[in-house]
Amino acid sequence: MTIEKKAEKKAEEKGRARAGRKAGAKSGNRASKWAAGIIALAASVSAVAPAHAVALPSGGTARSAVGAATVDCSSHRPGLAQRLAADLAKRLKSRRSMASLALYDRTTATTCTYGAHKRYDSASTVKPIVLGALLLAGKGNLTAKEAELARKMIVNSDNAATTTLWRKLSDTSNPQKPNPVAIQRFL
């Protein structure tokens, strides 16, 4: 390829990149809006269960620092990993609360993680999830005992009732670490 052709190709690529940035700014910067929505979702979901890392696809990857931690993104779509990592890091830097996220978008084979191995106390946010899993497992029907425990769990925020129902929805072959299979199926 001649020097002129290389220069022409580079100028053309710069022009496309500039047009893409302008289009992103005109559309309200969709990646940034998406990142803000993901942060809100992750902040609410992380209270329920720890985030888990997803296998990263091959292709473009990016890492953006947030204090001592990093946002790691990967995507088959050119440039998306870099934009998301930067946007998510920007949003996370301004947060005062703890946050984690793990996302996977099948359409673009995009993954992003941040603080994926942190653990959080769930407080009472787990109780409606236990109720939903119980209803799903019973196909919408509860036994009298389940209904009594569910009422105590929801109306009185009864932790003992929640634990009883959690164990009912779990594989307790290892009593020290019951596996909440029905709750995972619901989620």
Side-chain angles (χ1 to χ4, degrees), residues 76-153:
H76 286 308
R77 185 171 287 170
L80 184 58
Q82 291 81 8
R83 288 192 315 270
L84 279 174
D87 285 347
L88 289 168
K90 181 180 174 182
R91 302 282 184 191
L92 285 163
K93 283 178 185 175
S94 65
R95 290 188 67 82
R96 301 252 186 264
S97 61
M98 293 189 335
S100 291
L101 71 88
L103 71 91
Y104 176 69
D105 178 52
R106 278 190 313 235
T107 308
T108 61
T110 300
T111 62
C112 289
T113 60
Y114 172 77
H117 298 293
K118 288 182 187 176
R119 293 195 171 269
Y120 297 89
D121 290 330
S122 65
S124 291
T125 58
V126 76
K127 291 173 180 164
I129 292 169
V130 169
L131 180 59
L134 187 65
L135 288 167
L136 180 66
K139 295 184 173 45
N141 300 311
L142 300 179
T143 66
K145 184 64 177 170
E146 290 170 341
E148 176 188 344
L149 289 168
R151 184 170 204 54
K152 286 180 181 179
M153 175 179 69

Side-chain angles (χ1 to χ4, degrees), residues 23-82:
K26 287 180 183 175
S27 67
N29 197 342
R30 274 178 256 165
S32 181
K33 286 181 182 179
W34 191 43
I38 290 168
I39 297 288
L41 174 64
S44 64
V45 172
S46 66
V48 176
H52 296 292
V54 181
L56 297 176
S58 61
T61 60
R63 175 173 277 180
S64 289
V66 180
T70 59
V71 174
D72 296 302
C73 293
S74 180
S75 180
H76 286 308
R77 185 171 287 170
L80 184 58
Q82 291 81 8

